[in-house]
Amino acid sequence: MTMIQCISPIDGSVYAERPAMSLEAATEAVARARKAQKAWARRPLEYRVQLVLKGVARLNEMSDEVVPELAHMMGRPVRYGGEYKGFNERSNYVAAIAADALAPLVVENSASFERRIEREPHGVVFVIAPWNYPYMTAINTIAPALMAGNTVVIKHATQTLLVGERMVRAFVEAGVPDDVFVNLFLDHQTTSALIAAGNFNFINFTGSVEGGRSIERAAAGTFAGLGLELGGKDPGYVMEDADLDAAVDTLMDGATYNSGQCCCGIERIYVHESLYDAFVEKSVAWVSNYKLGNPLDPETTLGPMANKRFAKVVREQIADAVSKGAKALVDPKLFPADDGGAYIMPQVLTNVDHSMAFMKDETFGPAVGIMKVKSDAEALELMNDSPYGLTASLWTQDPERAARIGRDIETGTVFMNRADYLDPALCWTGVKETGKGGSLSVLGFQNLTRPKSYHLKKVTK
């Protein structure tokens, strides 16, 4: 029997393990979810919405277990209290808009005809969730999918092995029927085989670009819908009229929070030459205030990365950039807890350029590069010089200027004077190798349902 193991970044020990399901057992579990879907969809919308919210509330009651589990599994310090703020905000918002988002589009209701377009659930939705924000990323699809009348099968990342199990437990204890929301422990081979066999009507995957390609290959010919949120290299651009202190505070937090392991984290910053020196100086001071250490210690503000192999990528990118002329400005003496493994200090690099992998490839760690620019045109060219496009953060006092630049940035979301935030009222989406599809907002409900047209001719006497 193959065991799936979560290796804790705290000390390298096995924190949790579960047996991987066989293809036969997994197929039977999905079949039960499919059988349960029709009855679930027939329940009134408000009933489904309220049950999902009860599941969310039940998970909130588990915070004393959930928060330290996250620290053990992926290293986020307990002082931050888990992911409840975003988890609750997203759940509550989609609940508030569900009725309007799923309402029929009435074209005609006359004495002669009734014509309308309704939204129907796809059927069985498969959520393959990532480890970096394991609750928030999963709920983006789970909540609206269940509310819309789908059943949901979740397969969580090995690094956060217990999250899917805990979410399903919370929702079932809150009253969601058995087989409507199901957690499976799967290896990659079984996951691909389930997809290839056409078991799912919609698949949402958040992870690497190569992982997304694997999902697309497995789903080829099944005609299942796909939502893919993949890599990112999100830029920030600080213009000459920016609020300098606010820009430093937000962009450095966006670059380093969660040890830089954020889908929309800031990985490269372009600063107008008039503010460049001050921005760099303040940024280095800001980052230097972190306390790197054991995430179970309430004094720790920066925990380890989720796995030492992730930290290895960050160190290699920094070393390569320095070998090509970059300057690393944060003093290593301030971070004695950096052990060369999962515990890695934050870093700010200058003298960087786009010949370096550090400024082109996804880093996904607590390190950021800062470049000086002379104009909007130069900044725009650099921001678009990337295979990815999730978010871009613009810093200026001029909304019209931000909107004008934003229209030319190849990205899914344009921020002005903020960063690293998912607004549930807006569609979360990306372009280029960041993926396709979109979650949350009214459009998220549309992606998790299909249109069905009714053309009813009335009999007249």
Side-chain angles (χ1 to χ4, degrees):
M1 179 182 294
T2 301
M3 299 298 292
I4 301 175
Q5 295 184 327
C6 168
I7 306 299
S8 175
I10 293 177
D11 57 10
S13 65
V14 176
Y15 177 69
E17 61 181 1
R18 295 289 187 272
M21 295 182 72
S22 68
L23 178 59
E24 292 74 20
T27 301
E28 290 174 3
V30 177
R32 291 193 296 271
R34 184 168 298 283
K35 185 177 180 180
Q37 189 269 323
K38 293 294 185 182
W40 174 247
R42 283 194 294 269
R43 299 290 187 110
L45 172 60
E46 186 59 22
Y47 174 87
R48 299 194 302 264
V49 168
Q50 291 306 315
L51 266 189
V52 170
L53 290 180
K54 288 180 180 178
V56 169
R58 179 69 188 102
L59 189 71
N60 275 255
E61 295 170 355
M62 300 176 177
S63 62
D64 288 346
E65 300 165 89
V66 166
V67 173
E69 273 180 0
L70 284 174
H72 279 288
M73 289 189 292
M74 53 76 65
R76 185 181 304 121
V78 294
R79 68 179 287 129
Y80 298 123
E83 302 171 19
Y84 285 108
K85 181 179 179 181
F87 184 84
N88 294 339
E89 180 184 33
R90 298 172 193 189
S91 302
N92 290 334
Y93 183 80
V94 295
I97 68 168
D100 288 338
L102 297 171
L105 174 61
V106 178
V107 178
E108 180 182 358
N109 189 7
S110 67
S112 301
F113 287 96
E114 185 176 342
R115 296 183 293 147
R116 65 182 184 273
I117 303 169
E118 295 189 358
R119 307 298 311 185
E120 289 216 342
H122 286 304
V124 182
V125 172
F126 189 29
V127 176
I128 307 174
W131 52 263
N132 63 322
Y133 281 94
Y135 286 99
M136 288 199 295
T137 52
I139 203 66
N140 291 351
T141 301
I142 290 168
L146 289 174
M147 291 175 187
N150 300 285
T151 50
V152 174
V153 174
I154 183 172
K155 181 262 180 201
H156 225 295
T158 300
Q159 195 65 51
T160 41
L161 186 63
L162 303 181
V163 171
E165 182 178 75
R166 185 166 291 282
M167 290 184 76
V168 168
R169 177 186 141 195
F171 277 54
V172 170
E173 288 180 359
V176 172
D178 290 339
D179 300 322
V180 167
F181 184 22
V182 180
N183 175 67
L184 303 182
F185 296 106
L186 304 172
D187 59 26
H188 293 316
Q189 183 177 356
T190 303
T191 300
S192 295
L194 281 174
I195 293 171
N199 283 287
F200 306 107
N201 303 100
F202 188 88
I203 302 159
N204 180 267
F205 171 78
T206 304
S208 69
V209 175
E210 284 308 310
R213 291 190 174 115
S214 296
I215 299 298
E216 281 200 321
R217 285 193 293 268
T222 68
F223 307 115
L226 295 178
L228 304 173
E229 185 195 325
L230 311 175
K233 193 73 179 175
D234 290 9
Y237 172 33
V238 181
M239 302 173 216
E240 71 280 357
D241 65 338
D243 181 328
L244 181 61
D245 289 335
V248 168
D249 185 63
T250 301
L251 292 174
M252 287 303 106
D253 182 70
T256 56
Y257 182 77
N258 203 40
S259 296
Q261 299 165 130
C262 303
C263 299
C264 57
I266 297 297
E267 296 206 0
R268 52 198 175 106
I269 302 173
Y270 309 100
V271 183
H272 189 269
E273 59 186 359
S274 64
L275 294 182
Y276 177 81
D277 290 340
F279 183 89
V280 169
E281 180 181 0
K282 287 175 178 286
S283 294
V284 172
W286 195 100
V287 168
S288 297
N289 283 324
Y290 270 119
K291 180 181 178 182
L292 176 66
N294 189 317
L296 296 172
D297 181 348
E299 298 299 314
T300 293
T301 56
L302 191 71
M305 293 191 68
N307 192 291
K308 62 183 180 180
R309 73 177 186 273
F310 305 150
K312 182 174 183 286
V313 171
V314 180
R315 289 190 176 96
E316 288 175 347
Q317 284 193 8
I318 291 172
D320 175 71
V322 170
S323 74
K324 295 175 180 176
K327 292 183 178 180
L329 301 182
V330 179
D331 187 352
K333 295 178 182 178
L334 298 173
F335 296 92
D338 188 322
D339 63 354
Y343 290 85
I344 179 172
M345 63 174 282
Q347 191 55 270
V348 174
L349 268 62
T350 58
N351 281 17
V352 289
D353 61 50
H354 281 218
S355 70
M356 302 170 182
F358 183 76
M359 295 297 286
K360 294 294 290 287
D361 297 342
E362 186 171 37
T363 302
F364 220 61
V368 65
I370 306 175
M371 287 181 64
K372 183 188 300 184
V373 295
K374 295 182 178 180
S375 66
D376 292 351
E378 182 183 4
L380 180 62
E381 182 178 0
L382 290 166
M383 284 190 283
N384 283 341
D385 184 27
S386 172
Y388 308 109
L390 184 57
T391 78
S393 177
L394 306 179
W395 289 81
T396 176
Q397 304 293 328
D398 186 348
E400 292 184 4
R401 182 182 181 187
R404 183 173 65 252
I405 296 170
R407 280 190 286 271
D408 289 328
I409 302 175
E410 297 162 355
T411 190
T413 295
V414 177
F415 290 115
M416 186 183 84
N417 298 333
R418 77 177 312 175
D420 191 26
Y421 172 70
L422 195 159
D423 183 343
L426 302 178
C427 186
W428 193 242
T429 186
V431 298
K432 299 191 284 190
E433 289 190 8
T434 290
K436 65 180 181 179
S439 61
L440 297 174
S441 77
V442 170
L443 297 182
F445 273 109
Q446 293 180 4
N447 287 332
L448 291 166
T449 55
R450 62 179 179 86
K452 186 172 185 178
S453 295
Y454 289 82
H455 192 141
L456 310 178
K457 184 178 181 181
K458 299 178 180 179
V459 176
T460 57
K461 296 181 179 180

